[in-house]
Amino acid sequence: MFDVECVAKNFFDCCNLPICIFDYDFELLHSYGYNYSYEDMFKNLNLINDMKNNLINCSSCILNFKKNLNFLCIKSSKTINLNMSFLIGPFKTGFVDTSSPFIPFKSPTSMKYIEKLLMFIISENLNEKYGHVKYSLYVVKSLDYIEKNYSENISIDSLCKDLGINKSYFCSLFKKETGFTFVNYLNKYRVDKSKQLLENSNLSLMDISLEVGFNNQSYYSTVFKKFSNKSPLEFREEVLTNHI
DNA sequence: AGCGCAGACACTGGCAAGAT
DNA sequence: ATCTTGCCAGTGTCTGCGCT
């Protein structure tokens, strides 16, 4: 067991915001900086709507407490007209990523509340980032995943595992909403990134292809030509010519 | 309507060889 | 040394159906 009050005080000292810690059954374990309980308030769905209306002031992150023992931290400066943050946990997580926390809660009810809250925050934040088009949560999360990991090996299998949905369903959903297949979108993203490197660096095509996530330069050239109607080298030469 | 699954097939991506 | 092209095994996508 660990000292909940000690955790609350440490976080309070760090961010100077009042803190509520809830357990996995959504019971208030401790409040620091408050004189009364937020237990009932947090269970009220209106809180989600409050967060929705003040989303721009809301952020979330995973705070590591001990090895594999984490809290979900939701900070807001306007929610219910107070500066405050929530700590929900503890829970175990395999990797530090707010978009895919693995939360082995015992209570299905608390699980749903947290998922709903998390999904809403992530979805709304990312939809804002990707324009006014309203993509589904899965597509939004995959777009964010591409943006963060385009330079790494990305497989649909592992992405779908993280998202918790069927691979076939994800592919059709992605195509329906974006007009691109997942791999096409990813490749186009990588090609666009590589154009910046072709323009602004002297890196070889091999280095650039590895830099943007292609595993080999030959396939990079093929994909580049598909989207640009010219080889990477032709693109670079054209840019250099235009700059003279 | 939203989601999951199986199977067919189109496409990707690694590799090797050739071209510059 | 660097880049392009062709081949083909493995992977991704699509379709159709069923379940909730």
Side-chain angles (χ1 to χ4, degrees):
Chain A
M1 284 302 292
F2 56 90
D3 187 348
V4 173
E5 186 168 354
C6 175
V7 173
K9 184 180 183 313
N10 284 339
F11 284 132
F12 178 73
D13 289 341
C14 287
C15 62
N16 288 320
L17 288 172
I19 282 171
C20 289
I21 296 184
F22 298 87
D23 70 6
Y24 39 70
D25 287 323
F26 244 76
E27 298 296 317
L28 184 75
L29 290 179
H30 189 86
S31 62
Y32 208 87
Y34 292 116
N35 294 322
Y36 55 96
S37 166
Y38 275 89
E39 183 183 2
D40 293 333
M41 192 182 297
F42 201 80
K43 283 180 175 175
N44 190 330
L45 279 176
N46 286 338
L47 178 60
I48 292 176
N49 288 325
D50 285 344
M51 284 196 155
K52 181 177 177 177
N53 295 331
N54 298 296
L55 193 72
I56 197 164
N57 299 305
C58 195
S59 63
S60 62
C61 61
I62 297 289
L63 297 175
N64 180 254
F65 171 62
K66 281 182 177 177
K67 187 183 178 185
N68 292 331
L69 194 58
N70 304 276
F71 288 88
L72 169 68
C73 177
I74 300 172
K75 293 181 181 178
S76 174
S77 60
K78 279 190 176 176
T79 302
I80 49 182
N81 298 318
L82 285 168
N83 288 330
M84 65 181 299
S85 65
F86 296 100
L87 280 179
I88 303 169
F91 61 88
K92 289 182 178 178
T93 181
F95 42 94
V96 182
D97 178 1
T98 51
S99 64
S100 308
F102 172 62
I103 311 175
F105 289 117
K106 291 171 186 171
S107 158
T109 312
S110 60
M111 184 74 176
K112 279 182 183 174
Y113 264 92
I114 293 169
E115 275 186 343
K116 194 171 177 179
L117 197 59
L118 252 186
M119 284 188 171
F120 179 82
I121 290 167
I122 294 166
S123 170
E124 286 295 311
N125 274 326
L126 296 182
N127 267 320
E128 190 174 312
K129 188 157 74 180
Y130 292 111
H132 298 299
V133 180
K134 286 284 176 184
Y135 293 131
S136 66
L137 173 70
Y138 295 128
V139 172
V140 162
K141 285 170 83 172
S142 64
L143 292 176
D144 192 54
Y145 186 81
I146 287 174
E147 192 174 315
K148 287 174 180 164
N149 301 286
Y150 72 91
S151 60
E152 311 292 330
N153 276 329
I154 293 179
S155 85
I156 293 184
D157 271 337
S158 60
L159 174 60
C160 288
K161 202 171 280 181
D162 284 352
L163 292 174
I165 62 168
N166 179 270
K167 185 176 71 175
S168 305
Y169 173 61
F170 170 74
C171 287
S172 58
L173 191 69
F174 194 94
K175 179 76 184 289
K176 188 177 82 180
E177 295 189 10
T178 66
F180 290 94
T181 63
F182 177 77
V183 172
N184 265 336
Y185 183 93
L186 174 61
N187 283 340
K188 189 175 185 313
Y189 191 90
R190 284 170 166 165
V191 165
D192 288 344
K193 289 288 176 187
S194 77
K195 284 180 178 177
Q196 296 169 14
L197 294 173
L198 286 167
E199 276 189 73
N200 305 315
S201 77
N202 292 321
L203 291 173
S204 68
L205 292 196
M206 174 62 85
D207 288 338
I208 290 176
S209 63
L210 295 176
E211 187 73 26
V212 299
F214 290 101
N215 288 327
N216 72 90
Q217 183 259 320
S218 67
Y219 182 61
Y220 164 61
S221 291
T222 307
V223 172
F224 193 99
K225 200 158 192 172
K226 177 184 166 186
F227 287 110
S228 309
N229 293 322
K230 63 188 80 166
S231 70
L233 202 61
E234 287 169 346
F235 175 84
R236 176 176 263 170
E237 284 165 354
E238 198 173 294
V239 169
L240 285 175
T241 306
N242 291 337
H243 280 187
I244 295 170

